[in-house]
Amino acid sequence: MNQVILASHGGLATGALDTVHMIVGDAPNVHAVSLLRDDKEPITSKVERLASGFDPQDAVYVLTDMLGSSVNNSMVEYQASHPGVTVIAGMNMPIVLTLVLSDKRLDDAAVRDLVAEGRRGIVNCAHPDAPTQEPQAQTTGRPKANGGPAKIVLTRLDYRLLHGQVVFSWVTKVGAERIIVVDDATANDEVRRGALRLAKPTGVRLNVFTVDRALKKMAKLNTLGEKVMFVFGNTSELRRFYESYCLGAVNLGATANHDGAQMIGGKGSSVFLDDVQKADINALLDMDVKIYVQQTPALPRVDVTEKL
């Protein structure tokens, strides 16, 4: 049997599951998992628990909300350690229904056809006969070295690193030409680095460095004349970097909710800090670093002016 897991932020997956039930009736092989704003449990744990009830011979297909989202990045990592799992980014109903109604495992060619069929279902209904073309990769020349400092357009703390909000809002807002992810664990993990490469915006360069390697690269970076966005995965490594090199103001974007953590930045914030993390932020304040909470450019900015 094919097991189909719909995985998304918020209620998209559960809504899609409800639509499946309306169209085909009872579908015990279709499941929904959601990542909510204040979740303390990783979405991979939810999928793992669900999959533990499947037959070992089942083929498992995970359809995520969109390429580059934190949900998709997590599922790509999960796929790497579970050979029977296939992750498809960008769920839509034609793909979901084809998998639901299929009674056998799809080979690689069939999965490619499935994705192509899903794309054909995306039509501008005002001009349904207009020809469609595959999007072409953007090509941008490398800026010439200008001998000046790097143009740091954003320094962000986000435990999800490179994901939907970063790709679709901040990169466009600040005009970043290069993203540098600084996270020791990810830099030393090929699977995680691969997931980030999938999430990278077209035409934007990406580096994934440890703290030490990122510091060593600053001299080279200061010759490239690019607009650069830094993303740090945790407060400890952010503090360690700033103790050697100050990049300017820090945007607190998101930290995982966990026991002992307090929400910072007002109602609806995605920043949760425990005492150890607060100490890291306070150390940055002692360095006169400006710090603010802002999840996306469309949301209000909340400055952190006093020690936590």
Side-chain angles (χ1 to χ4, degrees):
M1 177 183 292
N2 290 334
Q3 300 287 351
V4 181
I5 300 176
L6 311 178
S8 76
H9 296 81
L12 178 63
T14 54
L17 179 59
D18 185 55
T19 300
V20 170
H21 289 159
M22 289 182 65
I23 295 174
V24 303
D26 186 33
N29 63 324
V30 189
H31 320 270
V33 293
S34 299
L35 180 64
L36 305 178
R37 179 185 297 274
D38 298 337
D39 269 355
K40 295 181 180 179
E41 182 184 23
I43 195 166
T44 48
S45 297
K46 298 179 182 181
V47 172
E48 188 78 61
R49 186 167 58 250
L50 181 63
S52 66
F54 297 162
D55 187 292
Q57 300 304 313
D58 289 345
V60 180
Y61 298 90
V62 181
L63 307 184
T64 68
D65 45 13
M66 61 180 176
L67 181 66
S69 73
S70 54
V71 170
N72 190 74
N73 292 349
S74 296
M75 290 300 97
V76 169
E77 292 181 25
Y78 180 83
Q79 173 185 250
S81 58
H82 295 78
V85 173
T86 299
V87 176
I88 300 174
M91 72 169 78
N92 65 11
M93 201 49 58
I95 293 178
V96 174
L97 292 175
T98 298
L99 284 172
V100 170
L101 298 174
S102 176
D103 58 359
K104 61 181 181 180
R105 184 188 298 268
L106 278 62
D107 59 22
D108 290 344
V111 172
R112 287 195 296 269
D113 290 343
L114 175 66
V115 171
E117 183 62 30
R119 288 173 177 165
R120 284 192 288 271
I122 302 174
V123 174
N124 176 2
C125 293
H127 303 284
D129 297 325
T132 58
Q133 294 180 338
E134 289 293 318
Q136 295 182 349
Q138 299 176 12
T139 56
T140 56
R142 180 180 294 277
K144 295 180 180 179
N146 63 2
K151 301 170 186 176
I152 310 302
V153 293
L154 182 71
T155 301
R156 179 176 172 88
L157 175 70
D158 194 325
Y159 75 106
R160 299 163 298 186
L161 301 176
L162 197 60
H163 64 105
Q165 283 181 346
V166 173
V167 173
F168 295 109
S169 58
W170 283 111
V171 169
T172 300
K173 175 70 175 179
V174 302
E177 298 168 304
R178 181 184 296 273
I179 299 170
I180 297 180
V181 171
V182 183
D183 187 82
D184 285 2
T186 302
N188 290 309
D189 188 316
E190 177 56 35
V191 173
R192 293 185 184 181
R193 295 200 307 271
L196 294 187
R197 285 193 289 268
L198 285 175
K200 181 186 75 66
T202 301
V204 178
R205 301 174 183 88
L206 171 68
N207 300 107
V208 184
F209 292 144
T210 63
V211 173
D212 291 341
R213 184 164 176 78
L215 287 169
K216 291 177 181 178
K217 288 290 185 180
M218 290 308 300
K220 175 66 175 178
L221 188 67
N222 281 331
T223 70
L224 299 181
E226 297 170 317
K227 294 180 179 179
V228 182
M229 184 173 94
F230 277 81
V231 182
F232 288 81
N234 59 74
T235 60
S236 173
E237 292 174 5
L238 173 65
R239 173 182 178 174
R240 184 151 60 94
F241 189 98
Y242 267 66
E243 287 172 345
S244 296
Y245 196 107
C246 181
L247 295 168
V250 172
N251 162 233
L252 301 183
T255 57
N257 192 8
H258 57 284
D259 291 340
Q262 175 188 1
M263 181 186 290
I264 303 299
K267 183 179 180 181
S269 170
S270 292
V271 179
F272 301 86
L273 303 177
D274 59 27
D275 289 343
V276 173
Q277 293 169 311
K278 289 178 183 178
D280 291 331
I281 298 302
N282 289 339
L284 293 176
L285 291 172
D286 286 338
M287 300 176 204
D288 294 325
V289 176
K290 295 186 183 299
I291 299 174
Y292 63 98
V293 177
Q294 190 176 20
Q295 190 173 18
T296 68
L299 294 175
R301 168 175 169 157
V302 178
D303 291 320
V304 178
T305 57
E306 299 181 355
K307 287 190 175 182
L308 304 175

